[in-house]
Amino acid sequence: VVDVAQWRPARLIGELRATNGMAVPNKTDSQYGKKLVRAERKFNPLKVPKALEASLPFKSKPKNESKKKKNKLGKKAAVVSSDHERAVNSLISRLYTVRKEKHRIRQDTKTKKKAIKEKREQFIVDKREVVSKEIRKKRYIKQGNEEVQKRKKMRLD
């Protein structure tokens, strides 16, 4: 604190504005009342695989609260396909069915091959274990015999 008789503290901004008759500047960025208008966000529905959904308890299963909206225009305007379009659609569906069947057959053969390979590898591992067990057994017997020989020498010396 300064002890000077003529000393006075600096005036605040509000006091200076009041004495000079200046208004408070109005900045639009500093206004609280206006709110930004944001677009409503739309989230895609959560897709749960059928196998996982089947294993979930009932309360955790996704509920179909909002059914799919029916296409009202589709009801009014029936699509009449020509013979050519029907033939193309049936051909595509048959091709898709063949593709699915081939995929299923490939998966089956793959699982069978995998099972055979695992069986073969297990057989090899079992054989190795038997051989390594025999080797360990012989090594332990040899070490035991060496220990016996050392003890006999110590007793003699």
Side-chain angles (χ1 to χ4, degrees):
V1 179
V2 180
D3 248 353
V4 177
Q6 294 165 349
W7 180 85
R8 61 190 177 131
R11 290 187 290 171
L12 301 174
I13 293 175
E15 292 173 359
L16 289 170
R17 282 199 187 117
T19 56
N20 295 335
M22 292 173 60
V24 178
N26 185 13
K27 293 183 181 176
T28 53
D29 291 346
S30 302
Q31 296 291 323
Y32 282 109
K34 293 182 182 179
K35 294 195 171 148
L36 293 174
V37 178
R38 291 192 175 97
E40 188 70 26
R41 292 187 70 184
K42 181 182 175 285
F43 294 99
N44 291 334
L46 181 67
K47 289 176 184 164
V48 182
K50 296 276 188 231
L52 179 62
E53 190 176 331
S55 66
L56 288 173
F58 180 76
K59 77 175 186 180
S60 299
K61 285 186 183 181
K63 312 298 186 293
N64 296 333
E65 293 162 357
S66 60
K67 298 287 182 185
K68 289 182 181 176
K69 293 177 184 173
K70 306 263 178 168
N71 189 0
K72 293 177 183 174
L73 186 64
K75 278 185 181 177
K76 292 177 186 173
V79 178
V80 179
S81 55
S82 65
D83 292 338
H84 177 70
E85 287 176 342
R86 267 187 253 128
V88 168
N89 288 341
S90 67
L91 177 65
I92 289 172
S93 66
R94 284 182 296 186
L95 287 173
Y96 183 68
T97 306
V98 168
R99 182 171 171 260
K100 278 198 328 190
E101 186 63 24
K102 281 185 179 179
H103 180 71
R104 188 189 61 78
I105 290 169
R106 266 191 228 110
Q107 289 295 105
D108 291 347
T109 54
K110 196 186 287 186
T111 53
K112 286 176 185 174
K113 283 181 181 177
K114 190 176 179 183
I116 290 169
K117 187 177 179 183
E118 285 177 358
K119 198 174 181 182
R120 190 179 311 131
E121 286 177 357
Q122 188 61 40
F123 176 75
I124 292 169
V125 167
D126 291 343
K127 281 276 192 182
R128 277 195 191 128
E129 283 181 5
V130 168
V131 170
S132 63
K133 191 174 179 182
E134 287 293 321
I135 291 170
R136 270 187 269 127
K137 197 172 180 181
K138 287 179 182 176
R139 187 176 70 220
Y140 295 151
I141 289 171
K142 189 176 179 183
Q143 284 177 350
N145 289 339
E146 287 174 1
E147 280 290 322
V148 169
Q149 292 298 327
K150 282 183 184 177
R151 285 187 181 157
K152 282 184 181 178
K153 278 187 177 179
M154 294 210 110
R155 285 185 194 151
L156 291 174
D157 290 345

